[in-house]
């Protein structure tokens, strides 16, 4: 089945080439008029027929949400190929036209990330997260002068989740390991492709007509006009997933203004410039005229965020604890071994979980205190700030990711617990003494890596200060 899906993918690539040839007969660059596909479009087709086709085939074999997600990724690459065909036959257009050309790729990136957010309870959530965290790499077409390193940055963002997939399936199902390798190779091959054909940014034709917002005949439909600029970003608020991923969603929207970005500026005459009119310096006050101070502009408070109702309920095998504010004394007592607890956006609250359960996840929580008895799987702390976790019984693994401030209180029975951390700070583990008191030990945040002649050796270092 996987081999058949790969064959279908390669046939689709071939059809895409034929469509590009037939659509270019009505004008354009000399290369387009001759019906030839440019070198870098052909190289991109090799990428689609190689790692992308392999990833799609394995996703279909896994099925479920992974297969649906792969269909969106496939559409995203198809939209990007159409953009490359346009760039190979046309000269670079104005910013407003470029925005409309980039819109289909931007839309598909958002759909891929939205799919993950809608399926947080999926048993394949780590697969979806790996794809969602790295798909902004397709925004390289709007990056200059170094699109290659940008793709590498997005590839690294997926590593946390790909490692978890490898850990979960390494001994159970090798197909998932192959899936990870195929998906990671997409971005590795894309970096090599960019380095060879678009080193300083998307390469546009030096001849041919200036690109328009219309798709070539036989290609995909013309993209819709760009929407309004995005709302002001709330830098103090973390997104449901990774705030870095949210920032990358604004990648294409940032060029919406184009040349209009300077229209709000006012001309300053020579008599208003302090370096040409020393008398202004002696006044010691504001300039005679000019725009009001930036602080006088409306603040983000004018657009209050929507408050969602608090949730504490059992949904199937999942205890959902969401949107709790100042709720001290939350208790989950009627538990079973197969159940999980998922706490999302709980602030200034305390939660106690009694009995033995499968796993606990804290996501986007601030100043939350968690006390639990026994967990047979893992405790995950993701995108949190200033949380405290206390183990009363046993837990094999605690994972801390993208979190600032996490105190872990271990019990005597949980001293063998593994603590895995990434992109986090202010982490402390408190170990019980014989007299019942705790000794606080910081988790290293700084590391030293050296080459010993055959491999890299990394050791933790103490931060001086």
């Amino acid at each position: 089945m996987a081999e058949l899906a790969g064959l279908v993918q390669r046939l689709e690539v071939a059809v895409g080439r034929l469509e590009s040839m037939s659509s270019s007969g009505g004008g354009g660059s000399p290369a387009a008029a001759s019906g030839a596909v440019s070198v870098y479009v052909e190289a991109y087709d090799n990428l689609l027929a190689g790692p992308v086709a392999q990833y799609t085939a394995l996703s279909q074999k896994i099925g479920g949400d992974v297969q649906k997600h792969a269909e969106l990724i496939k559409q995203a690459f198809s939209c990007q190929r159409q953009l490359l065909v346009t760039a190979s036959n046309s000269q670079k257009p104005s910013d407003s036209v470029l925005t409309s050309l980039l819109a289909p790729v931007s839309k598909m990136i958002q759909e891929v990330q939205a799919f993950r957010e809608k399926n947080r309870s999926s048993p394949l959530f780590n697969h979806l997260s790996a794809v969602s965290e790295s798909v902004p790499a397709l925004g390289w077409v709007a990056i200059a002068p170094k699109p290659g390193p940008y793709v590498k940055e997005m590839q690294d963002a997926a590593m946390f989740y790909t490692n978890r997939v490898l850990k979960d399936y390494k001994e159970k199902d090798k197909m998932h390991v192959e899936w990870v390798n195929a998906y990671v190779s997409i971005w590795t091959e894309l970096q090599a492709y960019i380095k060879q054909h678009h080193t300083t940014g998307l390469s546009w034709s030096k001849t041919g007509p200036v690109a328009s917002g219309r798709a070539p005949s036989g290609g995909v439909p013309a993209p819709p006009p760009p929407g309004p600029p995005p709302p002001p970003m709330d830098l103090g608020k973390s997104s449901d997933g990774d705030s870095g991923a949210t920032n990358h969603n604004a990648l294409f929207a940032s060029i919406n203004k184009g040349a209009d970005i300077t229209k709000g500026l006012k001309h300053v005459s020579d008599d208003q410039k302090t370096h040409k009119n020393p008398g202004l310096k002696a006044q010691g006050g504001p300039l005679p005229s000019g725009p009001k101070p930036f602080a006088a502009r409306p603040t983000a408070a004018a657009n209050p965020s929507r408050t969602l109702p608090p949730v504490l309920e059992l949904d199937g095998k999942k205890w959902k604890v969401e949107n709790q504010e100042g709720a001290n004394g939350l208790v989950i007592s009627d538990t079973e071994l197969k159940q999980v607890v998922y706490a999302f956006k709980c602030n200034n609250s305390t939660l106690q979980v009694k009995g033995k359960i499968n796993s606990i996840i804290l996501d986007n929580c601030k100043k939350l205190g968690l006390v639990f008895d026994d967990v047979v799987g893992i405790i995950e702390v993701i995108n949190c700030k200033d949380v405290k976790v206390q183990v009363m019984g046993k837990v094999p693994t605690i994972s801390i990711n993208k979190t600032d401030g996490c105190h872990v209180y271990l019990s005597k029975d949980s001293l063998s617990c593994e603590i895995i951390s990434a992109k986090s700070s202010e982490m402390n583990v408190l170990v019980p003494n014989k007299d019942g008191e705790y000794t606080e030990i910081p988790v290293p945040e700084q590391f030293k890596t050296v080459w010993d002649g055959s491999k890299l050796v990394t050791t933790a270092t103490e931060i001086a200060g």
Side-chain angles (χ1 to χ4, degrees), residues 95-260:
D95 288 340
S96 59
V97 173
L98 179 59
T99 299
S100 66
L101 292 173
L102 293 173
V105 179
S106 178
K107 180 182 178 182
M108 290 309 306
I109 291 176
Q110 295 172 18
E111 287 190 17
V112 169
Q113 295 183 323
F115 184 88
R116 175 241 196 165
E117 295 306 318
K118 294 176 183 177
N119 293 277
R120 283 186 164 271
S121 59
S122 172
L124 301 171
F125 181 70
N126 288 332
H127 298 67
L128 305 185
S129 296
V131 175
S132 179
E133 292 290 327
S134 52
V135 71
L138 289 177
W140 69 268
V141 289
I143 300 296
K146 296 181 179 180
Y150 171 75
V151 175
K152 179 64 166 62
E153 180 185 348
M154 293 300 98
Q155 180 182 11
D156 291 343
M159 188 177 298
F160 174 78
Y161 293 102
T162 54
N163 286 343
R164 292 172 71 175
V165 174
L166 293 175
K167 180 181 177 182
D168 292 343
Y169 291 94
K170 186 175 182 181
E171 304 298 333
K172 294 193 303 183
D173 192 341
K174 295 296 184 182
M175 182 172 58
H176 292 262
V177 177
E178 295 176 7
W179 180 90
V180 168
N181 294 335
Y183 183 72
V184 172
S185 69
I186 292 176
W187 306 122
T188 302
E189 293 295 329
L190 181 60
Q191 292 171 59
Y193 166 80
I194 292 172
K195 184 176 181 180
Q196 183 175 358
H197 300 285
H198 309 274
T199 308
T200 58
L202 178 59
S203 298
W204 293 83
S205 174
K206 301 299 183 183
T207 58
V210 177
S212 67
R214 300 186 304 272
S217 60
V220 297
M233 185 175 297
D234 185 357
L235 296 179
K237 181 179 179 181
S238 175
S239 66
D240 288 351
D242 182 10
S243 59
T246 303
N247 292 342
H248 292 305
N249 282 342
L251 175 66
F252 299 105
S254 64
I255 65 172
N256 279 350
K257 291 185 178 180
D260 295 338

Side-chain angles (χ1 to χ4, degrees), residues 289-308:
S289 63
K292 294 182 179 180
F294 180 79
R297 297 181 181 179
T299 63
N303 297 312
S305 59
R306 184 176 54 147
T307 302
L308 298 175

Side-chain angles (χ1 to χ4, degrees), residues 34-99:
S34 64
V37 177
S38 74
V39 173
Y40 72 65
V41 173
E42 185 173 355
Y44 193 79
D45 286 340
N46 292 334
L47 174 68
L48 298 182
V52 175
Q54 185 181 6
Y55 153 75
T56 303
L58 288 169
S59 297
Q60 290 178 349
K61 205 169 182 180
I62 293 174
D65 293 330
V66 169
Q67 180 180 358
K68 297 175 183 176
H69 219 196
E71 289 299 323
L72 296 176
I73 288 290
K74 182 179 175 182
Q75 293 178 43
F77 274 94
S78 178
C79 290
Q80 185 156 97
R81 183 190 184 279
Q82 185 59 51
L83 174 62
L84 293 175
V85 171
T86 300
S88 68
N89 295 333
S90 313
Q91 298 184 51
K92 188 175 181 179
S94 64
D95 288 340
S96 59
V97 173
L98 179 59
T99 299

